[in-house]
Amino acid sequence: MSDRRFRITTAFQRYVANPVTRLMPFQTLLETTGRVSGQARRTPLGGKRVGDSFWLVSEFGVKSQYVRNIQADPRVRVRIGGRWHHGTAHLLPDDDPVARLRTLPRGNSAAVKALGTQLLTIRVDLTD
């Protein structure tokens, strides 16, 4: 069931939700470098800035394309409130992602918790 949920959710996100939400001027975006293409890849997501860090939880962990891109090159950009910030992403497999979701915006957290099968916390240390 979890593999089927992954395929359905990622197809919906890739072809329906992400193309629309990428166009919204204040949607939070994570920009990674494609591990194969080397091109910028922008993923709409939810999370929260806390000081000089941005926190998020990936619903499919290392199966998510943006997580695999981070593994290849942790240098990222995050658009928060319409402004781009450079940073370095860190995968935190020892962090409790369910507890972390309780500290992040409720709407996105509920969707990640409901759809996710391999939750993984990610912290982006912002440099500007």
Side-chain angles (χ1 to χ4, degrees):
M1 177 62 178
S2 66
D3 191 50
R4 183 171 183 231
R5 183 186 313 177
F6 170 76
R7 286 193 320 273
I8 292 169
T9 302
T10 56
F12 175 78
Q13 289 172 336
R14 181 175 294 149
Y15 299 112
V16 180
N18 290 359
V20 172
T21 56
R22 260 189 224 108
L23 300 174
M24 300 170 116
F26 288 98
Q27 171 65 46
T28 301
L29 297 176
L30 175 69
E31 183 179 85
T32 60
T33 301
R35 64 193 176 285
V36 176
S37 69
Q39 304 220 354
R41 302 294 183 203
R42 291 180 175 174
T43 305
L45 45 75
K48 182 178 181 182
R49 182 175 184 163
V50 179
D52 289 335
S53 296
F54 182 81
W55 292 86
L56 66 133
V57 174
S58 169
E59 66 261 57
F60 297 114
V62 295
K63 288 178 77 174
S64 295
Q65 297 299 316
Y66 71 88
V67 173
R68 294 171 71 192
N69 290 342
I70 288 170
Q71 288 176 312
D73 183 356
R75 295 171 299 168
V76 300
R77 290 193 324 153
V78 183
R79 186 175 77 181
I80 307 166
R83 183 169 176 257
W84 285 102
H85 303 271
H86 290 87
T88 303
H90 303 277
L91 307 181
L92 303 173
D94 293 331
D95 190 70
D96 180 351
V98 174
R100 181 67 56 192
L101 284 170
R102 287 193 287 271
T103 69
L104 301 177
R106 281 199 281 194
N108 183 73
S109 294
V112 168
K113 205 164 153 184
L115 298 172
T117 58
Q118 298 176 359
L119 303 181
L120 174 65
T121 301
I122 300 169
R123 183 188 75 233
V124 178
D125 294 331
L126 303 172
T127 57
D128 64 346

